[in-house]
Amino acid sequence: MSDDPVPLASLSLTHVHYDPNDPVSYLCAFLALVPQGLCVVYATLIWSTREIEIALLFAGQLACEAINFALKRLIKEERPRRMNGKGYGMPSSHAQFVAYFAVSLALFLLLRHQPPSPGVRKRNHTPMSLVERAMWSVVGLAMAAAVAWSRVYLNYHTERQVLVGCAAGTVSAVGWFVITTIVRRSGWLAWALDTPIARFFRVRDLVVEEDLCQAGWEKWDDKMTAVKAKKKLK
């Protein structure tokens, strides 16, 4: 048996190179972790809400990643000379990931999400107005732009690689939105939600018309109102 130490490998999933003397570089290192954070958000929301819209959004995100994987091996363009990263650089997977997410979020909030009119106010819930939905869309797009810019600042990609990544993510988001719209209008989604397996996992399609927290909040508020009413009767 040899006494030579076994060479160790590095799991680079969350490994980011940055300049410790540069505060902006330090911030960009955290921005590089946004895609991993979004994957955690996807998994958490899918499991906790069972919303088919979120599951479809995540399915499109995975398809977008597959497209990026194929494009990198088709184009085979190297990263910048002062390279901080492995593999090919065209297009930027980070830029493509966040562009897909941000554009998909904007398309959902502005085109697919159809809440009751803001004038129709329930006792314990006020739907988001179009202005509020537009504001959140801008926030998502700004976040995506910051992540994309950080890839150039950290020297993981050239500007062109990031721009192509953003374009690929945008095209993927629009294409997936069209596909899911066709699936919805054709009735296939309603059919799938009525299958035994979908009913077993309690899959639902409510977020198109209401906020994610609305149903749970209404039940809680109704319960607290009932408790307060009972106390008054004592």
Side-chain angles (χ1 to χ4, degrees):
M1 183 174 179
S2 175
D3 293 331
D4 293 337
V6 177
L8 300 178
S10 172
L11 180 62
S12 59
L13 185 63
T14 58
H15 187 72
V16 183
H17 291 278
Y18 71 97
D19 182 356
N21 299 314
D22 183 359
V24 177
S25 181
Y26 184 65
L27 173 62
C28 288
F30 280 98
L31 288 175
L33 302 179
V34 167
Q36 290 91 326
L38 287 176
C39 286
V40 174
V41 172
Y42 273 127
T44 303
L45 288 178
I46 290 171
W47 177 254
S48 62
T49 68
R50 311 300 173 92
E51 281 287 341
I52 190 64
E53 181 66 23
I54 301 174
L56 288 172
L57 183 65
F58 186 48
Q61 188 82 73
L62 294 178
C64 183
E65 283 296 286
I67 291 172
N68 179 267
F69 182 87
L71 286 175
K72 280 189 173 182
R73 281 146 188 81
L74 179 65
I75 300 173
K76 296 182 179 180
E77 182 174 299
E78 299 296 335
R79 293 175 184 268
R81 286 190 175 183
R82 189 186 168 192
M83 182 182 65
N84 288 327
K86 299 177 181 179
Y88 297 117
M90 172 68 85
S92 165
S93 58
H94 276 71
Q96 187 169 332
F97 189 105
V98 293
Y100 168 89
F101 176 81
V103 173
S104 293
L105 179 65
L107 290 172
F108 170 76
L109 289 175
L110 299 178
L111 299 180
R112 181 165 291 167
H113 187 51
Q114 300 294 332
S117 171
V120 182
R121 187 185 189 282
K122 295 185 178 181
R123 174 178 56 81
N124 45 19
H125 178 69
T126 303
M128 279 196 300
S129 66
L130 180 60
V131 173
E132 289 174 314
R133 284 180 277 146
M135 179 192 70
W136 284 113
S137 299
V138 171
V139 169
L141 292 169
M143 179 273 294
V147 173
W149 167 79
S150 73
R151 303 307 288 169
V152 177
Y153 193 89
L154 291 175
N155 209 52
Y156 276 89
H157 294 281
T158 64
E159 293 180 0
R160 190 173 67 138
Q161 290 170 350
V162 164
L163 289 174
V164 173
C166 289
T170 299
V171 171
S172 298
V174 173
W176 188 245
F177 183 82
V178 171
I179 291 172
T180 53
T181 298
I182 293 172
V183 171
R184 283 181 171 279
R185 292 181 179 178
S186 66
W188 281 103
L189 185 63
W191 171 84
L193 290 173
D194 200 38
T195 57
I197 188 170
R199 294 178 65 82
F200 176 80
F201 285 106
R202 305 293 192 268
V203 182
R204 64 204 71 176
D205 189 26
L206 295 174
V207 74
V208 173
E209 296 179 353
E210 65 179 37
D211 296 338
L212 279 175
C213 61
Q214 178 183 343
W217 165 249
E218 287 180 356
K219 288 182 180 180
W220 169 254
D221 196 48
D222 290 341
K223 179 180 179 180
M224 295 306 297
T225 300
V227 170
K228 292 177 182 178
K230 287 182 179 179
K231 288 183 178 180
K232 288 182 178 180
L233 293 175
K234 290 182 179 180

